[in-house]
Amino acid sequence: RRPAGDLTMANNTVIVAEGQTKSASAWSADGNRLWRWQANNNEPVKRVAVGPAGITYAATVQKLFAIRDGQTLWEVPFAKGGKPAVDAAGNLYVPVTNNFNSYLPADSAYVAPLRRWKNGSFAYFRQSNQPTISSYGMVLVGTCDGLMGAYCTLDGSRLWAYRCAHEIRQTAVLIDGKAVYFVTEGGKLVAVDFEGNTLWEQEFPGNHLKGPAVGHHGRIYVTLDDGSLICVAEANGEKQ
């Protein structure tokens, strides 16, 4: 088989973005292929996400597709975006890069008003990672210019912003209603509360942390450049 790209899982089904074959496919838990979908614009499929209604969203460089059972439901223009995120109501939040000027003005912190498409609401963000959706009515977005922002899921207005000295390239994680955790380039792990106030910051060797991930018993995990796994306390960032 050709190398696979991005993947996600929903209802015991694995959805795989197959970049080299410009397609996406769905696989059952026992390894049987359920369907295969081919992009119609001759571009690699970079990212996939699945909504609560079982709709798969596939992003290429120039288009975003909605797919059900291997058939295209709709498609919209989409310029060099990241991985979409879908909330429990089926609203889709789509990250885009700095040159998507048809949707975004020059201000990199700007969030366009939610745009209505055939299946719900889309919010377009200039950023470099997947949005993180909270059940408290906010979506969290880290940008390539070092801004972690929280935006209202109803109207796209910015609730707060946290400025960092380095890029934010990894997706944030959260303990809903309590704290947001994210890493920056330069080796920093940051915790803020749900109003954007600093709880703690922790620096590690190297420049490219991976994660974070929330574990049990109040622990947060990241990996370092050398592959080391680091565990810290969610309350204060102290190493465990």
Side-chain angles (χ1 to χ4, degrees):
R1 295 177 181 173
R2 294 178 181 269
D6 187 41
L7 75 161
T8 190
M9 187 169 187
N11 299 321
N12 293 319
T13 300
V14 179
I15 311 295
V16 180
E18 300 177 2
Q20 291 191 11
T21 61
K22 304 176 178 61
S23 65
S25 59
W27 301 80
S28 66
D30 57 5
N32 293 315
R33 189 163 68 185
L34 303 176
W35 52 259
R36 183 173 181 272
W37 169 88
Q38 190 75 41
N40 64 9
N41 60 345
N42 199 34
E43 294 178 350
V45 179
K46 297 291 189 179
R47 300 286 186 266
V48 288
V50 179
I55 297 174
T56 296
Y57 302 96
T60 69
V61 174
Q62 295 294 334
K63 286 186 178 182
L64 177 69
F65 298 88
I67 306 159
R68 179 181 282 133
D69 297 329
Q71 302 298 315
T72 301
L73 298 177
W74 50 259
E75 60 188 71
V76 295
F78 186 62
K80 294 184 178 180
K83 184 171 182 175
V86 190
D87 66 17
N91 296 320
L92 186 64
Y93 302 87
V94 184
V96 296
T97 54
N98 292 357
N99 59 354
F100 198 16
N101 294 323
S102 61
Y103 284 105
L104 292 176
D107 179 5
S108 64
Y110 180 86
V111 176
L114 295 178
R115 298 177 181 273
R116 297 287 175 179
W117 296 95
K118 293 181 179 179
N119 79 317
S121 300
F122 288 64
Y124 289 91
F125 304 97
R126 177 177 291 126
Q127 55 102 33
S128 59
N129 54 56
Q130 183 183 22
T132 302
I133 301 170
S134 165
S135 62
Y136 284 72
M138 70 172 66
V139 57
L140 297 150
V141 182
T143 69
C144 58
D145 56 359
L147 186 77
M148 175 58 68
Y151 303 90
C152 177
T153 56
L154 295 178
D155 60 12
S157 60
R158 191 166 75 188
L159 304 174
W160 53 260
Y162 188 94
R163 176 66 68 179
C164 301
H166 299 282
E167 297 178 48
I168 303 171
R169 291 188 172 273
Q170 304 293 317
T171 299
V173 298
L174 54 83
I175 299 176
D176 220 0
K178 182 179 179 182
V180 179
Y181 303 92
F182 59 94
V183 298
T184 74
E185 296 294 283
K188 184 175 287 188
L189 172 62
V190 181
V192 300
D193 66 18
F194 260 51
E195 294 181 350
N197 301 307
T198 305
L199 295 175
W200 51 261
E201 295 183 352
Q202 181 71 270
E203 292 191 26
F204 297 94
N207 292 317
H208 308 293
L209 300 181
K210 297 294 185 182
V214 177
H216 296 293
H217 310 298
R219 294 178 176 179
I220 305 294
Y221 297 88
V222 295
T223 58
L224 307 185
D225 284 353
D226 62 3
S228 300
L229 178 65
I230 302 296
C231 174
V232 304
E234 69 176 48
N236 53 25
E238 293 183 356
K239 293 182 182 179
Q240 302 295 292

